[in-house]
Amino acid sequence: MINCEKLKPFISNEYRNLPESRYISIFLIRTTQSEAIFRTEGSGEGCSREIIADNDGKSVCRSIISKRKQIAVERREGRQLLRKYNLLFANKGEIKDDTVCSMNRNNPCEKCIDCMLYGYAVGAGGAQRSRVISDDAFSLLPFDIISDKKTFNALYETGTMRDPVTKKPSSSINEDEYIIPGAHFLDIEVLKDVTEEEFIYVIGNILRSKRYGAITSRIGSVTNTIVSIIGSDTELFSTLEWINETESDLKMSNIEHPQPLDKVIISAKKSIYSLIPKIYGHCYVPDDNKKELEDILNTVKQIYSDPKKVEEILKKLTNSYPRNEGPKK
């Protein structure tokens, strides 16, 4: 399916429980398309941020999208398809609403693609390591440049803050910190020992996910752009190293918001090529001129445009897991 022979040595032929040092690193730029709020669990607190040192040792406060938030959104995207094609199961007994595999209910089926790829752990025994590894995504520009605050209130039908019946003033007024549109976040998702079908499934989840962060039904629209896909026999560098290197390259020009995506992609790719020689291991880095990345993404796009093809691949993948009894036909 994936027309990239040089990448295939880093993709497993079949699922195996034991690690085999096959890594696929997916380099992403996540760009906000609307106001977005990225914070940890709970409500009321400000956006997540962290002070880190750049390549010159200078402290920089960057916004963060936590790795758990990113992966949870993409898992839910994939699970929608699994549910559509009846590929979510129950661990024991009949598949019903209260027994079917679901997130955050401690009832993994231990059979579906989501369990086998993103991992699970149950208290009574049984666990699967996650083979999708991610770091926190860091903003390219400092937090104070890409964030703002907005005061919001809940007006009565009279258009005022005073109750039309009791005449009492409303207390429904608050202030939210948010990330402005056009902000870029860099992230690396690493797939370990995945098969070709699992690789396609993860790429599909990433590119089909559109809303991240808090209050996702109204804000938080994000576009994911895959910059590069690299195969290796060891894990490469961290997201933080990549963001610092990219920022250093951009410092040669004026840094201000908004940064054109094309310009960021050029610097991000240059940074990858400058960091790769530091790796102790065998890597395959696609050559931009050969358009290998474009070929891979076009293949995934064609698969997802054909519902029958998607169903066929998902069922084949589900049946490939050793403990799986397979979907009922």
Side-chain angles (χ1 to χ4, degrees):
M1 287 176 285
I2 298 298
N3 187 24
C4 185
E5 292 298 323
K6 293 180 179 177
L7 196 62
K8 288 189 175 179
F10 305 102
I11 297 177
S12 300
N13 293 325
E14 60 183 5
Y15 167 80
R16 293 192 66 188
N17 191 35
L18 296 175
E20 295 182 324
S21 284
R22 299 178 195 269
Y23 294 84
I24 301 290
S25 298
I26 303 171
F27 292 81
L28 291 164
I29 296 177
R30 305 186 190 273
T31 306
T32 56
Q33 301 295 333
S34 69
E35 297 169 358
I37 299 173
F38 303 120
R39 59 191 178 202
T40 52
E41 296 297 332
S43 59
E45 69 272 29
C47 290
S48 298
R49 72 198 78 175
E50 198 158 307
I51 297 175
I52 57 177
D54 63 11
N55 278 356
D56 299 325
K58 180 183 174 184
S59 297
V60 182
C61 183
R62 299 191 192 281
S63 178
I64 290 175
I65 311 176
S66 73
K67 51 184 175 291
R68 187 172 61 172
K69 287 284 186 183
Q70 299 170 66
I71 295 298
V73 170
E74 291 158 14
R75 284 183 66 180
R76 284 195 290 269
E77 185 66 34
R79 290 175 67 89
Q80 292 183 61
L81 283 179
L82 300 184
R83 190 172 296 107
K84 177 181 179 181
Y85 296 117
N86 298 319
L87 295 174
L88 292 175
F89 310 104
N91 189 292
K92 294 179 181 177
E94 187 181 351
I95 301 174
K96 298 185 295 186
D97 286 347
D98 59 343
T99 61
V100 71
C101 181
S102 58
M103 293 174 66
N104 299 325
R105 295 193 68 240
N106 198 29
N107 63 340
C109 66
E110 308 174 27
K111 302 173 185 176
C112 70
I113 298 171
D114 184 80
C115 282
M116 298 302 292
L117 186 54
Y118 290 95
Y120 65 86
V122 288
Q128 167 69 43
R129 63 189 168 90
S130 174
R131 288 177 289 134
V132 181
I133 307 165
S134 178
D135 275 339
D136 292 338
F138 295 94
S139 63
L140 179 63
L141 297 180
F143 181 83
D144 57 349
I145 295 180
I146 59 165
S147 66
D148 205 345
K149 290 183 178 179
K150 180 178 289 184
T151 301
F152 62 91
N153 56 18
L155 298 177
Y156 290 101
E157 289 190 35
T158 55
T160 69
M161 289 291 290
R162 193 168 290 276
D163 190 315
V165 178
T166 65
K167 308 301 181 187
K168 293 182 178 178
S170 170
S171 60
S172 299
I173 184 166
N174 212 331
E175 188 177 70
D176 249 345
E177 201 171 47
Y178 66 95
I179 304 301
I180 59 180
H184 303 295
F185 292 74
L186 271 62
D187 184 36
I188 307 172
E189 283 195 25
V190 182
L191 314 185
K192 188 175 181 184
D193 301 323
V194 298
T195 63
E196 191 169 16
E197 288 82 7
E198 289 174 327
F199 172 69
I200 292 170
Y201 179 75
V202 174
I203 294 286
N205 289 351
I206 291 171
L207 295 178
R208 286 158 57 88
S209 294
K210 299 297 180 186
R211 289 189 181 274
Y212 291 77
I215 326 178
T216 53
S217 63
R218 284 174 283 172
I219 61 175
S221 179
V222 170
T223 296
N224 292 323
T225 304
I226 295 179
V227 174
S228 185
I229 297 175
I230 296 177
S232 62
D233 61 3
T234 184
E235 199 165 352
L236 302 178
F237 38 85
S238 69
T239 302
L240 183 56
E241 291 173 284
W242 185 35
I243 188 80
N244 280 343
E245 195 73 18
T246 302
E247 191 207 29
S248 293
D249 185 77
L250 285 169
K251 275 182 179 176
M252 291 186 291
S253 57
N254 187 28
I255 293 185
E256 58 183 15
H257 181 80
Q259 290 282 314
L261 180 59
D262 291 347
K263 178 181 170 185
V264 176
I265 289 175
I266 291 171
S267 290
K269 285 185 175 180
K270 285 173 63 179
S271 303
I272 293 171
Y273 291 128
S274 67
L275 289 168
I276 284 293
K278 300 177 182 178
I279 302 302
Y280 289 82
H282 173 53
C283 303
Y284 165 62
V285 184
D287 185 341
D288 277 352
N289 295 328
K290 294 182 181 178
K291 297 185 177 179
E292 290 156 321
L293 175 62
E294 189 177 332
D295 288 343
I296 292 173
L297 298 183
N298 282 337
T299 300
V300 175
K301 188 175 184 180
Q302 288 172 7
I303 291 171
Y304 273 87
S305 64
D306 184 349
K308 289 185 178 178
K309 190 68 177 176
V310 174
E311 183 177 11
E312 178 188 329
I313 290 175
L314 294 182
K315 285 187 173 180
K316 178 184 175 185
L317 177 55
T318 303
N319 285 326
S320 71
Y321 297 128
R323 295 177 58 194
N324 195 355
E325 297 173 356
K328 294 179 180 179
K329 297 181 178 179

